[in-house]
Amino acid sequence: MSRFRRTTARARQLWIGLRLNPQAGRARALRGDDAPGDRDAEDADDLPPEDDDIDDGPPEHRYVPLSLTVGASWSWRLLVIAAAVVAVFWALSQVTVVVIPVAISFLLAAMFQPVSAWLIRHGWNKSLASLLVLIGGLGVVVAVVYFVVVQFIAGIPDFSDQVTQGLSDARDWLETGPLGLDDQFVANALDDAEGNIVDWLQNNQEMLVQNGLSIAGSTASGLGNFFTGLFLVLFTTYFFMRDGRKIWQFLTGMIPAAGRGPMRYAGSAGWSTLVQYMRTMIIVAAVDAIAIGFGLWLLDIPLWLPLTTLIFLGAFVPIVGATVSGIVAVVVALVGTDNGLVNALIVLGIVLLVQQLESNLLQPVLMSRAVKLHPLAIVLAVTGGGFTFGIIGALVAVPLLAIVNGTMRALHHYRLRQREIEAEETAEDSGGAPSKDGEETVEQR
């Protein structure tokens, strides 16, 4: 027993002794007070309650502030949730050969699904429509890649000549420009640099051979993983387009019946959000690529078409993708043109202008309406996904955030509509005129 409880017990015993003392009772009778029995009964009512009768809740509530108790309860629950999330991400990182292709196929299915659905609505067989859309999309990708590669190979000689000429101009500027360096000094510096490179290559020849063999082995393994991933992407994309709804109904069929309806409703809403996101990203990426590519074409920048394709692909990473890929165009303009510095500054201005157009017009008007995400949330998601899982993480982070946001909004809407339906049913039952509409579910409404 604690000191506080012992002191309380002693005080109570002293109180009982004083109030129930016989001599004190006779003295009250001589003064004409109430009868001892009545007084004793009243005194018994006035006695402080037993410690066991006091319901103060758990013992820590008497010594710990309520705010600290609530904060501690929230803290350990959040820690459990964080540990579960970390465990899930760790498990996914162990099977990236499967996770990455499935994630990519999920995005591709969301991109192709509207076309497949349109064909199905116009009488096409579901399997045939999904296969046709997949083959058509794959053919477009192959054709674009082939065309870009051909243009890149054709532009390499001119680009190499431009780089050589640029280095020669830089050497002339060092000799005749403001620095006024001596010809012999520049030649000796270049010769020394070349000699150092040759010496380093000779001294580290064995290490380079070992690294080359290691890279060759990694390349062979990487090619195997690439073709495996490509097969998984095509296979899963086809079935996501063909049987996506059946797959989701099968997965939600394993949860309790009470949560089956809300999860199916929320899953459909999340999928619709992803479809809108991919549709919007195609528009944004096309605007970024056309605007920057047109500027590169006007300035006659080498390899402008491959750079435009790179910007289009990079723009699928929202806000920062087109800017980062545009920096490559700035470098090419700097080293691959006659008036490199001026052209590089102009290209940099075009890239920044397009980035402002995307951030202040395209993102608020198109992206925010499609996925209802603030630009700050998009930037944080891209940064976190990129640092955690690299390029794939940056590509998948925003779609994943959009799905979670759409799903949570749909669950909230489902609960509100369910309460409205229950209220309508209660009102109809109390009025004695039940209606068939009261039996509808949220999905049907």
Side-chain angles (χ1 to χ4, degrees), residues 82-129:
V85 172
V86 171
V88 169
F89 278 107
W90 179 84
L92 293 178
S93 64
Q94 304 302 309
V95 287
T96 54
V97 177
V98 177
V99 173
I100 293 177
V102 171
I104 294 175
S105 63
F106 203 68
L107 299 180
L108 292 177
M111 185 185 302
F112 295 150
Q113 192 269 340
V115 181
S116 176
W118 183 85
L119 292 176
I120 294 173
R121 286 196 302 268
H122 286 75
W124 285 67
N125 179 270
K126 184 183 298 185
S127 301
L128 183 60

Side-chain angles (χ1 to χ4, degrees), residues 206-220:
E206 183 178 356
M207 181 190 68
L208 293 175
V209 172
Q210 293 177 354
N211 291 337
L213 294 176
S214 177
I215 293 174
S218 301
T219 303

Side-chain angles (χ1 to χ4, degrees), residues 99-355:
V99 173
I100 293 177
V102 171
I104 294 175
S105 63
F106 203 68
L107 299 180
L108 292 177
M111 185 185 302
F112 295 150
Q113 192 269 340
V115 181
S116 176
W118 183 85
L119 292 176
I120 294 173
R121 286 196 302 268
H122 286 75
W124 285 67
N125 179 270
K126 184 183 298 185
S127 301
L128 183 60
S130 301
L131 184 61
L132 179 63
V133 171
L134 181 62
I135 294 176
L138 182 62
V140 171
V141 171
V142 171
V144 170
V145 170
Y146 174 78
F147 182 72
V148 169
V149 169
V150 169
Q151 293 294 321
F152 180 78
I153 294 174
I156 283 295
D158 294 337
F159 179 69
S160 177
D161 294 339
Q162 292 289 346
V163 171
T164 304
Q165 183 63 34
L167 294 176
S168 178
D169 293 341
R171 179 175 179 176
D172 294 339
W173 181 83
L174 290 175
E175 296 174 356
T176 61
L179 298 179
L181 299 179
D182 183 63
D183 298 350
Q184 188 64 33
F185 175 80
V186 175
N188 292 335
L190 294 177
D191 292 339
D192 291 341
E194 182 180 359
N196 291 333
I197 294 174
V198 172
D199 293 340
W200 185 87
L201 291 175
Q202 292 177 351
N203 295 331
N204 297 274
Q205 184 175 2
E206 183 178 356
M207 181 190 68
L208 293 175
V209 172
Q210 293 177 354
N211 291 337
L213 294 176
S214 177
I215 293 174
S218 301
T219 303
S221 176
L223 288 176
N225 292 335
F226 172 78
F227 286 110
T228 302
L230 180 61
F231 173 77
L232 287 177
V233 166
L234 298 177
F235 191 76
T236 52
T237 301
Y238 169 75
F239 282 104
F240 280 160
M241 289 191 296
R242 180 181 180 273
D243 299 324
R245 185 176 296 275
K246 292 182 179 179
I247 294 173
W248 180 242
Q249 290 179 350
F250 171 76
L251 294 176
T252 54
M254 295 185 290
I255 63 178
R260 196 172 300 160
M263 285 303 298
R264 288 178 176 175
Y265 178 79
S268 299
W271 176 257
S272 300
T273 302
L274 180 61
V275 171
Q276 295 176 6
Y277 169 82
M278 295 304 299
R279 186 182 305 164
T280 305
M281 280 308 305
I282 293 175
I283 298 174
V284 173
V287 172
D288 291 346
I290 291 173
I292 299 177
F294 183 71
L296 297 177
W297 176 74
L298 287 179
L299 295 173
D300 196 20
I301 303 299
L303 307 176
W304 67 271
L305 187 58
L307 291 174
T308 302
T309 307
L310 177 63
I311 293 170
F312 176 78
L313 297 177
F316 279 91
V317 179
I319 296 180
V320 298
T323 304
V324 173
S325 56
I327 298 300
V328 179
V330 175
V331 174
V332 173
L334 178 63
V335 302
T337 58
D338 295 334
N339 197 6
L341 182 60
V342 176
N343 289 335
L345 292 176
I346 295 175
V347 172
L348 179 61
I350 295 174
V351 171
L352 294 178
L353 179 62
V354 171
Q355 192 273 337

